[in-house]
Amino acid sequence: MEQCLCSVIKACANIDAEIIVIDNNSTDGSAPFFANRFSQVHFIWKKANAGFAKANNEALRLSKGEKILFLNPDTILPEDCLEKCLQFFDQQSKMAALGIRMIDGSGNFLPESKRGFPSFFTSFCKMTGLTNLFPASKIFARYYLGHLPESKTNEVDVLSGAFMMVDKKILDTVGSFDEDYFMYAEDIDLSYRIQKAGYTNFYFADTCIIHFKGESTAKQTAGYFDNFYGTMVLFVKKHYPKLSGSLYVLLLKILIAVKKIFAATKPDIKPNPLPATALIFTNDEGITESLEKYFSTVTEVEEISIQEKNKAVVFCDPFVSFAVAISMMQQMKNQCSFFIHGAATKSMVGSADKNQPGIAVEL
């Protein structure tokens, strides 16, 4: 969360904004870590995890802005991100909400940046792997709108709750996140209600953020299938006609059972160790010394280019801006392990393996 806050504060430099953080009873020592830090941020420390929807709704009730950005803490924003989003908002008369192009910690595009509404056939294609086999198909990849280029702004059905900017007036009309969803599918539900009210959702491709999600570990567990697809059952029961909805729910339950069987037979994915060598873009000798306890070889570099593969690359702000770091990650995707260190922060965040969750390294 530290690097996320650092990037958000920089992205808010030229706009009138407030930053509210709801901590859902985390157990990693966040409260003492952030004590007396980030004075411009309003922290709320909960004593229980009430879920994604309730936490965001509580922050919404406290907010005063005309545009509301729901943002996950495992994200990094470029400095001009919010300004570009707000400018685009002003150009669209019927737009209610905006999502954004997202990449993972290895620089790969995240297809959930833009999605279509779930249907019987759409869910069947996703859960049986047809979407992965035909990722650009308008028919088989409808779940991720695979036929729409990731580099082009388009009107879409569903936005990701990891970065979802919504007009406050629209939220006052259609309501915010449905708190019946503990986690997952609440963004689908809100996107659906926005369109049902006659407004549009847009996927905005002119800027890009990092979302460290670690999908490959969490998504191999039976618990994940119950949570994720269980919320899809809730969505279908809420919004679909009784007959077709019942058939859809039956399909989901069958596919969930099959998924859990296959997940149980797969070996656990062990995280890869950090690379032995790190290239660090910085002019701070203190950071270089801190990294020597994690890497056998640490080399400071000045030019903003990467020629070598299979090494850790550490981008240190402000020597390298968040925007430049994100751009380079996309150019060198899957070739290096990327880490980002925000100015005056006590850690760096990144991913040592594209199939593993993002990790924070204390400096």
Side-chain angles (χ1 to χ4, degrees), residues 28 46 71 94 130 148 156 205 243 260 286 301 341 356:
D28 59 359
K46 307 297 291 184
L71 183 69
K94 292 290 289 182
L130 286 171
L148 298 180
V156 297
L243 178 59
K260 290 167 71 173
V301 290
H341 169 73
Q356 298 296 324

Side-chain angles (χ1 to χ4, degrees), residues 1 23 25-34 45:
M1 182 167 66
D23 181 279
N25 194 34
S26 62
T27 58
D28 59 359
S30 291
F33 183 84
F34 286 104
W45 305 100

Side-chain angles (χ1 to χ4, degrees), residues 50-71:
F52 179 90
K54 285 187 177 181
N56 277 284
N57 287 349
E58 180 173 346
L60 175 63
R61 287 190 290 271
L62 297 171
S63 65
K64 303 178 180 66
E66 295 179 3
K67 300 294 187 295
I68 305 297
L69 174 62
F70 299 109
L71 183 69

Side-chain angles (χ1 to χ4, degrees), residues 71-334:
L71 183 69
N72 276 17
D74 55 350
T75 54
I76 300 288
L77 277 58
E79 290 79 358
D80 60 355
C81 172
L82 300 183
E83 291 180 78
K84 285 185 174 180
C85 290
L86 290 171
Q87 289 170 4
F88 182 72
F89 235 113
D90 290 340
Q91 298 168 6
Q92 308 296 323
S93 59
K94 292 290 289 182
M95 184 173 74
L98 174 149
I100 202 167
R101 182 159 51 98
M102 301 187 293
I103 60 171
D104 65 15
S106 296
N108 297 286
F109 174 70
L110 290 172
E112 61 267 32
S113 301
K114 50 179 177 64
R115 286 177 288 172
F117 284 126
S119 67
F120 187 99
F121 183 71
T122 299
S123 295
F124 176 82
C125 291
K126 180 181 184 298
M127 297 179 74
T128 57
L130 286 171
T131 296
N132 293 332
L133 287 174
F134 305 99
S137 169
K138 189 174 182 178
I139 298 174
F140 298 114
R142 176 66 189 173
Y143 188 87
Y144 294 124
L145 300 178
H147 63 290
L148 298 180
E150 67 178 80
S151 59
K152 186 175 180 180
T153 297
N154 271 290
E155 182 179 339
V156 297
D157 293 331
V158 177
L159 305 177
S160 170
F163 183 109
M164 191 173 188
M165 183 178 286
V166 191
D167 191 318
K168 178 62 163 55
K169 294 179 181 178
I170 303 301
L171 291 172
D172 292 339
T173 300
V174 305
S176 186
F177 292 118
D178 185 339
E179 296 182 4
D180 286 341
Y181 300 91
F182 182 82
M183 187 170 66
Y184 304 124
E186 62 282 298
D187 48 3
I188 301 176
D189 181 87
L190 179 55
S191 297
Y192 181 85
R193 285 185 281 120
I194 286 172
Q195 280 205 351
K196 193 174 180 180
Y199 300 99
T200 56
N201 300 310
F202 267 88
Y203 162 71
F204 185 56
D206 291 353
T207 185
C208 178
I209 71 168
I210 305 170
H211 183 204
F212 299 104
K213 36 178 309 181
E215 57 275 340
S216 293
T217 48
K219 291 188 180 180
Q220 298 304 314
T221 66
Y224 166 78
F225 294 121
D226 286 335
N227 290 333
F228 181 81
Y229 293 108
T231 57
M232 289 306 302
V233 169
L234 177 61
F235 175 83
V236 171
K237 288 182 176 179
K238 178 180 176 181
H239 293 292
Y240 282 66
K242 187 173 182 179
L243 178 59
S244 60
S246 297
L247 293 174
Y248 193 175
V249 167
L250 178 61
L251 170 70
L252 287 173
K253 290 183 176 180
I254 292 172
L255 292 176
I256 290 170
V258 173
K259 283 275 191 179
K260 290 167 71 173
I261 292 172
F262 278 100
T265 63
K266 289 185 177 181
D268 293 335
I269 301 176
K270 296 182 179 181
N272 288 339
L274 291 173
T277 302
L279 303 178
I280 176 170
F281 293 92
T282 187
N283 54 7
D284 187 333
E285 293 183 0
I287 297 174
T288 302
E289 293 176 359
S290 297
L291 290 176
E292 289 176 349
K293 62 183 176 182
Y294 297 107
F295 304 99
S296 59
T297 303
V298 179
T299 305
E300 291 186 15
V301 290
E302 295 184 356
E303 294 184 5
I304 311 301
S305 63
I306 303 173
Q307 302 298 329
E308 301 177 81
K309 300 180 180 180
N310 302 319
K311 295 182 178 180
V313 177
V314 183
F315 301 107
C316 295
D317 163 67
F319 189 77
V320 178
S321 70
F322 293 119
V324 169
I326 291 171
S327 177
M328 291 187 68
M329 287 174 62
Q330 293 178 86
Q331 295 173 33
M332 298 291 296
K333 60 185 177 183
N334 299 326

